[in-house]
Amino acid sequence: MKILVVSPYLPHPASGHGTGVFMYGLLRELSPLHDLTLVSFLSKEEAPLAGDLKKLSMKIVTIPRGRGARKNLLWNLYLIAIRSVQMLRSLVKWEPFYVSKYYHPRMAATVASLTSENDFDIVQLEMTAMAQYLPYVKRSKSVLHEHDVAFRPAYRSFRHAGSAVTKLFAWIEWCRWSRFELNAVPKFDRILCVTEQDSLLLRRLTGSDRVSYFPRGVEVGQSFPQFESRKKATLLFVGTYSHTPNVDAAMWLVAEIFPKVLKQHPDAELRLIGKYAPDALLRAAERFPQIKVLGFVDDIGAELASASCFVAPLRFGGGVKIKLLHAVAAGIPVVTTRIGAEGIDGIDGQNVFIGDSAESLAAHVVTALGNRALAASRARSAWEGIRRYYSWEGTVRRLEEIYHETSSTS
């Protein structure tokens, strides 16, 4: 099949977030089987990574785009001006700020040009915000890949917001996401959801019968990774801090959960991996010499292979948490919340440690550190579940079935 994938960011493992890791793996698996073209925004920081994608058997078109604040006054003033225009656009069109943030006339023109000049069987838009480019798809079947149902984490952000002002803005954003998303879904030939719960929710709310469950894929070895060589009391957290739920989880872990663990295990060490650690997290971590804020790490596999326990105290967000799939696939015992574990087939409270308060999460960590036999048993059970449900072979087969079904409908 001839497939066009349109992405809001460069899909690469070094992008700093789990979805980038998944999308790179998906493109790697699809590119030998299909005629694949990728259109992606590309920041200056991501430019060195584009070479890795060029090694895959697919065509790549990139759209330059700035990214975040820098230690440069002129750039930051320019960024403020751009964000002001984006904010105004979101107000005028009554659409989520994130949607306006990812609108670019060059992207619209590129999608229109490519779909006019080529006969793609499938045009797949990645992330809900990219649904805004559907009007520029001139022909072919359209697919929206919902990495999460965006209005759900927006609602959780509203519920979790602290001050009245923050709550008001979060409520407005939730309303705008609900309007945008529920209007967009029925216009596509197919919607891909990463959890069965998300697909059922969208079917019920939109009445569309073109919503499909498409599971994530993850590298899982043929045998359970060696457990005995893991360190005795090392906790690991992974997540890019440009994603608000990760900032909240890391701050909660450092401020409330880890201090409770230290009372039982004063020798414990907490290692936090991820790009763009905020100053507030760095200041909080300075209180404890046992906390190491490592930033981006090239070989996260070595960290997953050696740590005693993976901690993901996520209180809001949506979709499948890729970090948990990778942790479980690496054979590390996992401590998380119900929101962290939601939507992941093959894992539950019997094979990962699940709690929703600082006290219960700390108690689970203490148990995992103190009872290595139990921790190993749970880690193996969770690994077996992930291997059963999320192998790349099964994921690609399911996607190809959806593509063929979509392309054959009138």
Side-chain angles (χ1 to χ4, degrees):
M1 300 183 78
K2 195 167 184 176
I3 302 166
L4 173 65
V5 176
V6 183
S7 176
Y9 49 79
L10 193 73
H12 191 279
S15 61
H17 51 82
T19 304
V21 177
F22 165 70
M23 281 307 302
Y24 179 83
L26 183 62
L27 295 174
R28 182 196 62 216
E29 298 294 323
L30 285 177
S31 57
L33 306 173
H34 301 278
D35 184 353
L36 203 62
T37 299
L38 169 70
V39 178
S40 173
F41 284 121
L42 181 71
S43 69
K44 184 178 180 180
E45 294 81 3
E46 292 171 330
L49 306 176
D52 292 336
L53 285 166
K54 291 176 181 176
K55 297 174 185 176
L56 304 180
S57 53
M58 65 180 185
K59 306 176 190 71
I60 302 174
V61 179
T62 58
I63 311 296
R65 182 175 180 275
R67 182 174 181 175
R70 302 174 187 167
K71 294 179 179 179
N72 183 304
L73 179 60
L74 291 177
W75 167 259
N76 289 336
L77 290 173
Y78 170 75
L79 183 63
I80 290 170
I82 292 294
R83 292 289 184 260
S84 298
V85 171
Q86 292 167 342
M87 182 68 73
L88 180 61
R89 184 177 188 271
S90 73
L91 291 172
V92 171
K93 298 193 70 174
W94 194 245
E95 65 186 14
F97 172 72
Y98 200 75
V99 174
S100 290
K101 181 180 176 182
Y102 278 95
Y103 174 76
H104 197 298
R106 192 180 299 180
M107 175 63 82
T110 301
V111 171
S113 174
L114 285 171
T115 56
S116 296
E117 298 168 3
N118 298 273
D119 291 319
F120 291 104
D121 298 294
I122 298 290
V123 174
Q124 181 166 305
L125 304 178
E126 300 294 330
M127 309 290 284
T128 311
M130 299 299 279
Q132 64 187 304
Y133 292 104
L134 179 62
Y136 303 99
V137 177
K138 300 305 179 182
R139 56 189 179 211
S140 86
K141 297 294 185 178
S142 58
V143 174
L144 177 62
H145 190 181
E146 295 250 52
H147 292 260
D148 58 29
V149 173
F151 64 80
R152 290 188 72 194
Y155 174 72
R156 286 169 175 167
S157 295
F158 157 64
R159 290 291 302 271
H160 186 72
S163 69
V165 173
T166 304
K167 211 170 190 67
L168 174 62
F169 279 106
W171 177 77
I172 291 172
E173 203 67 357
W174 168 47
C175 291
R176 294 197 292 194
W177 269 119
S178 298
R179 175 180 177 272
F180 177 83
E181 191 164 19
L182 296 180
N183 284 339
V185 164
K187 298 174 183 176
F188 282 83
D189 296 302
R190 183 70 56 174
I191 302 292
L192 304 179
C193 291
V194 300
T195 72
E196 190 66 59
Q197 297 94 319
D198 283 352
S199 65
L200 291 171
L201 178 63
L202 282 185
R203 285 185 205 133
R204 181 166 61 86
L205 292 179
T206 66
S208 174
D209 61 356
R210 300 189 297 273
V211 182
S212 299
Y213 167 46
F214 169 53
R216 298 295 208 188
V218 67
E219 299 285 350
V220 188
Q222 293 300 308
S223 59
F224 180 65
Q226 184 181 9
F227 191 87
E228 292 73 18
S229 60
R230 292 189 175 277
K231 296 175 182 177
K232 297 298 183 182
T234 303
L235 283 59
L236 185 64
F237 173 88
V238 176
T240 180
Y241 299 106
S242 57
H243 189 47
T244 304
N246 287 335
V247 176
D248 175 78
M251 291 296 297
W252 191 31
L253 176 57
V254 167
E256 297 186 43
I257 299 168
F258 187 60
K260 291 178 171 58
V261 173
L262 285 177
K263 291 179 180 179
Q264 301 294 321
H265 289 274
D267 59 334
E269 178 181 272
L270 172 60
R271 299 171 70 81
L272 298 109
I273 292 175
K275 286 183 176 181
Y276 316 120
D279 290 340
L281 179 62
L282 296 175
R283 288 194 299 270
E286 287 175 355
R287 296 168 47 215
F288 302 95
Q290 301 94 332
I291 296 178
K292 312 295 181 186
V293 182
L294 304 178
F296 178 77
V297 171
D298 287 326
D299 186 11
I300 195 173
E303 296 285 344
L304 288 170
S306 63
S308 321
C309 183
F310 187 89
V311 188
L314 295 155
R315 293 192 280 192
F316 56 101
V320 167
K321 316 316 183 281
I322 298 291
K323 60 172 68 69
L324 262 76
L325 293 183
H326 283 279
V328 171
I332 183 173
V334 170
V335 176
T336 189
T337 58
R338 283 179 295 173
I339 286 175
E342 75 175 353
I344 303 179
D345 294 324
I347 71 169
D348 53 32
Q350 299 303 307
N351 53 26
V352 299
F353 298 90
I354 297 177
D356 286 313
S357 67
E359 291 75 17
S360 62
L361 290 166
H364 284 319
V365 172
V366 168
T367 298
L369 297 182
N371 190 335
R372 286 175 67 87
L374 174 63
S377 174
R378 290 200 174 194
R380 177 183 287 275
S381 175
W383 175 86
E384 290 170 349
I386 293 301
R387 189 165 185 266
R388 182 164 61 252
Y389 289 104
Y390 295 98
S391 70
W392 273 118
E393 180 183 0
T395 295
V396 171
R397 184 168 58 247
R398 173 60 180 147
L399 184 58
E400 289 181 320
E401 291 170 356
I402 294 171
Y403 282 165
H404 286 293
E405 181 183 335
T406 303
S407 62
S408 63
T409 56
S410 57

